[in-house]
């Protein structure tokens, strides 16, 4: 596949980078990335991945756009209120870049559908807001041998890590089991500064692009944290011994996917 | 003794335990924090028995969800 003149111009700032080049841009155009959650993290990530010319982008979300989303979920506009988030996200991505094919999945992720959802994709972005989903995505990616970016944001803080099969610890290596519901602030009125989704979601898109083009070092074996009030970044080295992990270790005890109990406020209406 | 806690140089009394450090550092939701000392996990049940020594590097890893509240979540708080 050769690039058209228009594509050469559209992607010129990528192609000029020695770490990307025409070769890397071609890899992007052939890549398939799945974004789970079209919210605070998924929205900015989707914008950058579409703009970058990732050939196929899947987006999963069961919700509709709500007024309270617009403070941070920059892929949706006021006119989109009431529309499925996946539909609104698809329209924006296609408007940014008609080269991109967007697949929408208007559903929650569950133990029943997660392997089917991730199966077709090369890289997964976890942009969910609750621990049951985060553990489910981790376990499914470990079982299906899929690389993924984990991230979380709350108040003025954010963090992310990248899992690549066989190259470092998974989310469960570090966090073991979901906290009991409501034990750790998530959906309660903890709040989050809107731009935090932009910071951390953009970094998730960055990891996906680097993975696809094969540039630099990923956050495998590291947890990168950001405190916006102090304007401090901290890169935490994660223990490299994964042998005892319940899902990615040498003798896994988790061999089937589980739906942990959702916190009450995360439950379907 | 000198410790490196979350990337920062700190001075603490000799021989304090991980459990004491968790308290002194005002760790949020301490029962759910993951702790590493010199890039090794400290088992969550053994904070009180794990004594720190001069030069140790300690990290606290926190659960972080999404922080986003959709409409029905918001309503459940009203
Ligand atoms: Zn693991």
């Amino acid at each position: 596949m050769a690039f058209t003149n228009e594509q050469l111009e559209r992607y010129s700032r990528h192609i000029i980078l020695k770490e990307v080049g025409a070769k890397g841009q071609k890899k992007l155009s052939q890549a398939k990335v799945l974004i789970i959650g079209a919210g605070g993290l998924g929205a900015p990530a989707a914008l950058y991945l579409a703009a970058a010319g990732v050939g196929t982008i899947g987006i999963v979300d069961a919700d509709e756009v709500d007024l309270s989303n617009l403070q941070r979920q920059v892929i949706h506009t006021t006119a989109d209120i009431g529309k499925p988030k996946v539909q609104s996200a698809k329209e924006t991505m296609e408007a940014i870049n008609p080269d991109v094919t967007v697949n929408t999945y208007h559903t929650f992720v569950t133990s029943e559908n997660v392997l089917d959802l991730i199966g077709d994709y090369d890289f997964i972005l976890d942009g969910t807001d609750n621990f049951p989903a985060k553990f489910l995505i981790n376990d499914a990616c470990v079982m299906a041998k899929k690389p993924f970016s984990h991230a979380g944001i709350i108040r003025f803080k954010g963090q992310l890590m990248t899992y690549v099969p066989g190259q470092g610890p998974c989310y469960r290596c570090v966090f073991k089991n979901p906290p009991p519901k409501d034990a750790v602030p998530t959906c309660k009125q903890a709040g989050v500064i809107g731009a935090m989704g932009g910071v951390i979601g953009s970094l998730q898109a960055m990891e996906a692009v680097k993975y696809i083009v094969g540039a630099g070092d990923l956050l495998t074996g590291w947890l990168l944290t950001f405190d916006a009030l102090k304007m401090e970044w901290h890169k935490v080295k994660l223990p490299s011994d994964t042998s005892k992990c319940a899902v990615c270790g040498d003798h896994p005890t988790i061999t089937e996917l589980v739906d942990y109990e959702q916190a009450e406020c995360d439950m379907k209406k | 003794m000198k410790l490196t806690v979350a990337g920062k140089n700190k001075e603490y009394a000799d021989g304090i335990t991980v459990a004491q450090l968790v308290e002194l550092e005002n760790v949020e939701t301490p029962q759910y924090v993951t702790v590493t000392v010199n890039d090794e996990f400290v088992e969550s049940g053994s904070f009180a028995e794990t004594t720190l020594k001069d030069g140790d590097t300690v990290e606290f890893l926190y659960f972080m969800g999404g922080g986003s509240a959709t409409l029905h979540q918001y309503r459940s708080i009203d």
Side-chain angles (χ1 to χ4, degrees):
Chain A
M1 181 204 73
F3 290 113
T4 64
N5 284 342
E6 204 182 303
Q7 286 171 324
L8 287 172
E9 190 172 344
R10 179 185 284 273
Y11 304 120
S12 57
R13 302 302 191 281
H14 269 169
I15 293 170
I16 205 166
L17 292 168
K18 70 170 169 27
E19 293 84 354
V20 183
K23 209 173 147 191
Q25 192 60 48
K26 194 177 166 190
K27 284 183 189 164
L28 287 168
S29 73
Q30 292 166 344
K32 296 179 167 189
V33 176
L34 182 71
I35 301 167
I36 306 180
L41 293 162
L47 294 177
Y48 278 109
L49 293 175
V54 170
T56 306
I57 300 174
I59 187 137
V60 189
D61 203 302
D63 281 339
E64 280 75 44
V65 178
D66 177 75
L67 182 59
S68 68
N69 301 150
L70 301 180
Q71 162 260 14
R72 65 198 173 282
Q73 301 180 13
V74 291
I75 204 164
H76 315 298
T77 69
T78 307
D80 295 319
I81 291 171
K83 210 183 262 184
K85 284 186 182 177
V86 290
Q87 184 58 33
S88 163
K90 178 184 164 84
E91 287 166 10
T92 310
M93 282 190 273
E94 288 175 346
I96 290 170
N97 190 348
D99 289 348
V100 175
T101 301
V102 179
N103 300 326
T104 59
Y105 308 94
H106 189 204
T107 176
F108 288 96
V109 278
T110 67
S111 61
E112 302 279 299
N113 67 12
V114 65
L115 289 171
D116 282 340
L117 287 168
I118 67 176
D120 275 344
Y121 292 89
D122 306 315
F123 193 92
I124 321 298
L125 263 65
D126 168 16
T128 63
D129 66 355
N130 63 86
F131 298 110
K134 289 188 179 303
F135 277 87
L136 179 67
I137 292 165
N138 178 77
D139 295 353
C141 286
V142 168
M143 288 175 192
K145 297 190 166 59
K146 297 280 183 184
F148 81 102
S149 164
H150 158 86
I153 51 173
I154 195 162
R155 301 192 186 103
F156 285 85
K157 290 184 177 174
Q159 64 185 25
L160 76 160
M161 63 179 276
T162 302
Y163 169 77
V164 178
Q167 291 185 29
C170 77
Y171 179 65
R172 198 183 276 279
C173 284
V174 183
F175 292 105
K176 313 287 185 287
N177 284 297
K181 64 175 188 167
D182 299 335
V184 173
T186 51
C187 47
K188 289 270 180 197
Q189 205 106 349
V192 65
I193 195 79
M196 186 56 72
V199 172
I200 304 295
S202 299
L203 288 177
Q204 289 189 280
M206 186 76 82
E207 287 290 89
V209 168
K210 282 164 57 199
Y211 174 81
I212 293 161
V213 305
D217 300 316
L218 298 170
L219 284 171
T220 46
W222 297 90
L223 183 78
L224 181 64
T225 70
F226 177 52
D227 180 335
L229 289 178
K230 295 179 180 159
M231 233 31 181
E232 281 178 353
W233 293 90
H234 182 48
K235 200 174 162 185
V236 182
K237 193 171 191 329
L238 300 172
S240 53
D241 181 12
T242 61
S243 63
K244 281 179 266 173
C245 177
V247 67
C248 81
D250 296 341
H251 306 286
T253 52
I254 297 167
T255 52
E256 272 174 41
L257 295 169
V258 270
D259 292 305
Y260 290 99
E261 192 184 3
Q262 299 268 3
E264 216 159 71
C265 46
D266 291 331
M267 287 212 289
K268 293 175 206 183
K269 272 178 255 189
Chain B
M1 64 178 178
K2 287 185 171 40
L3 298 176
T4 306
V5 182
K8 298 208 163 126
N9 298 323
K10 300 265 176 119
E11 189 71 46
Y12 277 108
D14 285 355
I16 64 165
T17 64
V18 168
Q20 287 171 311
L21 185 68
V22 162
E23 209 173 309
L24 290 164
E25 287 282 319
N26 291 313
V27 166
E28 219 180 309
T29 56
Q31 61 274 47
Y32 304 113
V33 76
T34 295
V35 179
T36 67
V37 176
N38 304 328
D39 305 336
E40 300 285 342
F41 291 117
V42 179
E43 294 294 322
S44 58
S46 61
F47 289 0
E49 298 91 68
T50 306
T51 307
L52 295 163
K53 57 183 191 315
D54 188 51
D56 278 349
T57 294
V58 185
E59 296 285 359
F60 300 117
L61 304 167
Y62 299 94
F63 275 111
M64 217 177 269
S68 61
T70 62
L71 182 62
H72 54 291
Q73 292 165 350
Y74 185 71
R75 276 192 186 139
S76 71
I77 292 150
D78 288 340

